[in-house]
Amino acid sequence: MAAIGFVLLVALLLASSAAACDRCVHQSKVAFFSKAQALQSGACGYGSLATGFNDGRIAAAAPSIYKDGAGCGACFQIRCDDKKICSKEGATVVVTDRNHDNATDFVLSSRAFAAMANNGMGPQLLKLGLANVQYRRVACDYKKKKMAVRVEESSQKPHYLAIKLLYQGGQTQIGAIDVAKVGSPNWNFMGRRNYGAVWDTSRVPEGALQLRFVVTAGFDGKMYWAKSVLPADWINGAIYDSGIQITDIAQEACVICDDGTWKH
């Protein structure tokens, strides 16, 4: 039964992934928030932690990229088109919020917006306020940092556990999380993504907890096993090292743009 569920889940993940074609190069416009605090109340639920991601180069993304929260933590390379001001490398941003402005695919932090410019040209780019861009999804690279799990303040031991995933590497999408007592073969499905990057369950095993993550990987799915994440005395608001990092890249069936080539 579990195997059938895994296969169905992978199929759904791959269908969703193929429809999005994240790694294709897209053209759009981006704006920026004048104050970083605007992204601290983001739909992903990162709160004040968001401004510490990626040196503050973060973004609110359109619904097609946000994907009801599945896009939270995804990384995108964005290049602006003005060759006099903009660099070829552009800026890499982390999605931390949902963008409700239909005129742009992203609204960036001012630091991310300025990072698209050539050296010394950031202030000039910021003066434009709006920029024509190309963008594509890229793998998140947190160097030696492992993926972390934060216990949300809404958790109520021992009846309810809500967690938030931080520093997720690679270019994948988490489709499911299982939880079990450390050393036990009896796994409980966490049930659902509550919102954004937050997952929760009312079936909380006693003792120290291990987690399993089902992610898109290659043209298939893959399971990551964090064998000891939360101690028996886990507390709300604490951040725990998962001991693992996701490095896979999901391969999408984007035949038209599989090479991911920039348009100019």
Side-chain angles (χ1 to χ4, degrees):
M1 191 72 176
I4 295 174
F6 176 78
V7 171
L8 290 174
L9 177 60
V10 168
L12 288 171
L13 286 172
L14 292 177
S16 157
S17 179
C21 290
D22 283 336
R23 83 166 176 275
C24 295
V25 174
H26 301 271
Q27 293 179 302
S28 184
K29 297 179 183 291
V30 300
F32 70 92
F33 290 107
S34 58
K35 295 183 179 180
Q37 287 79 4
L39 287 164
Q40 290 187 11
S41 58
C44 289
Y46 294 125
S48 60
L49 293 172
T51 53
F53 296 160
N54 194 36
D55 196 29
R57 296 174 183 176
I58 55 180
S64 60
I65 300 169
Y66 177 75
K67 298 177 184 176
D68 294 325
C72 291
C75 294
F76 287 83
Q77 182 184 8
I78 305 178
R79 304 195 325 179
C80 51
D81 293 346
D82 190 329
K83 295 181 180 180
K84 293 181 179 179
I85 302 176
C86 305
S87 70
K88 291 183 179 180
E89 296 77 19
T92 297
V93 303
V94 177
V95 173
T96 61
D97 194 4
R98 176 177 175 175
N99 173 27
H100 298 281
D101 181 1
N102 293 328
T104 64
D105 281 358
F106 293 95
V107 180
L108 311 182
S109 62
S110 58
R111 180 169 292 186
F113 195 91
M116 295 189 296
N118 286 313
N119 288 338
M121 303 292 283
Q124 188 170 341
L125 182 59
L126 287 169
K127 287 181 181 179
L128 297 179
L130 189 69
N132 293 315
V133 300
Q134 300 176 60
Y135 69 87
R136 65 183 177 189
R137 189 172 178 186
V138 295
C140 296
D141 183 5
Y142 289 102
K143 307 303 179 185
K144 296 181 179 180
K145 187 186 289 291
K146 302 294 186 182
M147 185 168 69
V149 174
R150 184 183 189 276
V151 177
E152 296 296 275
E153 281 81 358
S154 59
S155 297
Q156 298 177 6
K157 185 190 282 188
H159 309 294
Y160 175 73
L161 173 65
I163 62 172
K164 179 160 56 195
L165 304 180
L166 308 173
Y167 315 119
Q168 177 188 336
Q171 188 175 328
T172 64
Q173 178 178 319
I174 292 179
I177 302 176
D178 293 330
V179 59
K181 182 178 180 178
V182 170
S184 171
N186 301 317
W187 291 89
N188 292 332
F189 182 54
M190 280 207 76
R192 62 195 174 96
R193 183 188 298 273
N194 186 301
Y195 71 95
V198 178
W199 294 74
D200 66 355
T201 181
S202 57
R203 302 172 64 192
V204 188
E206 295 182 357
L209 302 179
Q210 56 181 330
L211 298 172
R212 293 190 308 198
F213 306 91
V214 178
V215 305
T216 52
F219 288 100
D220 207 336
K222 184 174 181 178
M223 185 173 289
Y224 280 83
W225 182 10
K227 297 183 179 181
S228 181
V229 183
L230 303 186
D233 58 349
W234 55 264
I235 59 174
N236 295 5
I239 297 176
Y240 299 96
D241 189 339
S242 72
I244 63 169
Q245 182 54 279
I246 295 172
T247 57
D248 287 276
I249 296 178
Q251 300 296 322
E252 303 159 313
C254 304
V255 179
I256 297 176
C257 67
D258 256 354
D259 59 358
T261 303
W262 298 105
K263 303 186 186 306
H264 55 73

